[in-house]
Amino acid sequence: MKFPSLIRTNKFSQFHYEPRYYDPIKEEIEGKLKAARANKGKESASAGHASSISAAFRKRERKSSQTSVVQMLIAAAMLATFVGWVFYGNDVFYIYLLLSPLYFYFRLKGRNKSRN
């Protein structure tokens, strides 16, 4: 026996979802067409692309060499700190506290020269 007026149950939630169609090839073609229209009056497209690609590789090459040097310096500083801590204890950290003002002095001194 049902009691429809006394007991109400929730209906299932229904969602209306319309997926959008995404075509990456079509989007890439449209992007290339826009770029070609923008470069229509400028230099040839192949020369522009070749120069931008080579510039990007040169820029990446410089960053990677700087990064590896910085990583090596950080690793050497960490190793030196650990070895110093093993042999001399916490005195190594006090030495770093005494030397840090010198580091910042020379760092700021170099910036002031470049601004003048």
Side-chain angles (χ1 to χ4, degrees):
M1 185 163 159
K2 288 188 176 182
F3 298 105
S5 61
L6 297 177
I7 301 173
R8 293 184 184 174
T9 58
N10 291 335
K11 292 185 179 181
F12 292 109
S13 297
Q14 295 180 354
F15 298 99
H16 182 68
Y17 174 71
E18 293 181 19
R20 289 182 273 168
Y21 181 71
Y22 175 70
D23 188 8
I25 296 172
K26 183 178 179 183
E27 187 171 313
E28 183 180 350
I29 291 172
E30 288 175 357
K32 287 182 179 181
L33 287 174
K34 284 181 185 178
R37 287 182 189 130
N39 292 334
K40 189 174 184 180
K42 296 180 182 177
E43 63 188 53
S44 67
S46 62
H49 289 297
S51 65
S52 64
I53 290 173
S54 62
F57 276 112
R58 275 186 264 126
K59 185 177 179 182
R60 183 176 179 191
E61 182 179 333
R62 273 188 260 125
K63 280 186 177 180
S64 65
S65 65
Q66 289 175 345
T67 304
S68 60
V69 170
V70 170
Q71 286 176 349
M72 290 298 293
L73 289 174
I74 290 172
M78 289 175 67
L79 180 66
T81 303
F82 179 73
V83 170
W85 179 70
V86 167
F87 286 110
Y88 300 110
N90 290 340
D91 294 338
V92 173
F93 300 115
Y94 297 128
I95 292 170
Y96 276 133
L97 284 175
L98 291 174
L99 293 178
S100 60
L102 289 174
Y103 168 75
F104 288 116
Y105 172 74
F106 287 115
R107 179 113 178 172
L108 293 175
K109 185 179 174 184
R111 278 193 189 166
N112 290 336
K113 281 185 181 179
S114 64
R115 288 184 184 176
N116 291 331

